[in-house]
Amino acid sequence: MIVLLSKGAVRDINRTNKVSADAWWLVGKKWNVMAGDASIKDQNGSLSGRTVAEIEQLISGRNLVSGDRLPTVQELSNRIGVSLSVVREAIATLKARGILSTRQGAGIFVSTPKPSESLGSVFGDLSQVSSVVEALELRLAVEVEAAGLAAARHSMAQESRIFEAFSGIQKAMDEHQTGEAEDFRFHIAIAEATNNRRFVDFLVQLGNAMIPRSKLGTLPATKEEQAAYLMQLQKEHQAIVAAIVAKNPEAAREAMRFHLSQSRDRYHEIIRSQRMFSEA
């Protein structure tokens, strides 16, 4: 489901540095990229970076280990929506990092270490809520600035990918899924829009520390509560995208700060509840 932001809402954000109720989007309408073919004319470097992130998320999401085989180049091309040459470039990058290896006639395989080990292991056991809180505090220090830079620097093609990622989260929600992979792609798309590759590298290396909700078993118990929880997350995402589209760095920083702070506070509440239960 793609959304549309009115020009009046953009003006309101630019004037107030805040995303007001008037900035909420008209859901269900098709968003047309004013730049025409901008999304397919993007530079290969950016496409390759996005493809690297997608492949690493595939490895992390499927819990693949050293020796496991990945889909073929053609299958990856179809899955990610990029050309064969871009996939090959991304695979070459991951081979250089020691994450993938290729065997003639056999395919593409995961090597050691896994993509999340170099930075993700800094946080210890990510099945522990306290470790997730620590990861969120680090993300606050990085992603708040990333949102501001994305608002100031993004291209039309990058804006299109942010919209597409946001739409992917909504589609997952409509299909009663938790949308973790789609949420990851959303944050990667914003990092890409900074035009500073290091932001993307940082988020990719965090791996499972990025979107841990279902792995921790911290989603609300009932389907209704889960739907309300995910809708709240999506509203926070809306505010971030609205500010980026409005090219308002301060509003984008504030929207990202609010989003990650809310997530951190939700996990803090889980920790408090666990302590009360253990003391009961």
Side-chain angles (χ1 to χ4, degrees):
M1 187 180 296
I2 304 290
V3 293
L4 187 67
L5 185 66
S6 70
K7 291 181 180 178
V10 170
R11 287 194 298 270
D12 181 62
I13 296 167
N14 280 328
R15 185 177 66 251
T16 64
N17 275 352
K18 295 180 180 179
V19 181
S20 69
D22 293 335
W24 289 144
W25 308 25
L26 306 176
V27 178
K29 295 187 178 181
K30 185 178 180 181
W31 182 72
N32 296 313
V33 181
M34 291 184 292
D37 295 331
S39 61
I40 61 174
K41 292 181 180 178
D42 194 19
Q43 297 178 354
N44 276 346
S46 181
L47 284 176
S48 177
R50 177 164 64 92
T51 304
V52 167
E54 291 274 2
I55 293 173
E56 293 196 301
Q57 176 61 13
L58 174 67
I59 295 170
S60 178
R62 292 187 180 180
N63 293 316
L64 300 181
V65 297
S66 181
D68 287 343
R69 186 165 64 181
L70 265 66
T72 65
V73 171
Q74 183 65 63
E75 289 169 339
L76 289 170
S77 173
N78 295 338
R79 176 190 177 95
I80 301 171
V82 295
S83 68
L84 295 175
S85 62
V86 171
V87 173
R88 292 190 184 101
E89 183 180 345
I91 290 171
T93 298
L94 291 168
K95 285 176 64 178
R97 294 182 188 175
I99 293 170
L100 293 181
S101 63
T102 56
R103 303 174 196 169
Q104 186 67 32
I108 311 162
F109 296 85
V110 178
S111 298
T112 302
K114 292 170 62 178
S116 61
E117 285 180 351
S118 58
L119 182 57
S121 60
V122 170
F123 300 105
D125 184 2
L126 291 172
S127 66
Q128 299 296 317
V129 179
S130 58
S131 294
V132 174
V133 169
E134 291 170 350
L136 280 165
E137 288 177 350
L138 181 56
R139 287 180 61 194
L140 268 163
V142 175
E143 288 195 72
V144 168
E145 183 60 20
L149 291 175
R153 298 175 177 176
H154 73 270
S155 66
M156 285 300 298
Q158 289 165 338
E159 183 176 301
S160 175
R161 284 200 295 277
I162 292 171
F163 269 102
E164 289 167 2
F166 176 84
S167 176
I169 299 173
Q170 187 62 52
K171 183 175 184 293
M173 289 171 56
D174 293 342
E175 295 173 354
H176 308 292
Q177 300 172 8
T178 59
E180 287 159 287
E182 293 79 8
D183 200 334
F184 180 83
R185 281 193 286 272
F186 174 74
H187 285 271
I188 289 290
I190 292 172
E192 276 191 331
T194 67
N195 291 301
N196 180 336
R197 175 67 204 174
R198 301 309 174 191
F199 283 101
V200 178
D201 290 342
F202 172 82
L203 296 186
V204 166
Q205 291 299 316
L206 273 179
N208 288 338
M210 279 283 295
I211 317 291
R213 50 184 174 261
S214 72
K215 297 179 182 64
L216 287 174
T218 53
L219 284 169
T222 69
K223 290 183 178 180
E224 292 77 13
E225 289 172 333
Q226 285 186 23
Y229 167 73
L230 294 174
M231 182 59 69
Q232 177 58 40
L233 290 180
Q234 191 69 328
K235 285 182 178 180
E236 293 168 14
H237 292 150
Q238 285 178 341
I240 296 166
V241 182
I244 291 173
V245 171
K247 297 183 181 296
N248 188 321
E250 286 309 310
R253 290 185 183 98
E254 184 56 35
M256 181 64 81
R257 183 180 293 107
F258 178 78
H259 172 54
L260 295 178
S261 296
Q262 287 292 101
S263 296
R264 179 198 58 198
D265 293 346
R266 282 187 282 264
Y267 284 110
H268 270 306
E269 184 58 36
I270 291 169
I271 291 174
R272 284 193 290 270
S273 298
Q274 290 175 343
R275 286 174 178 169
M276 290 177 64
F277 180 78
S278 65
E279 293 170 359

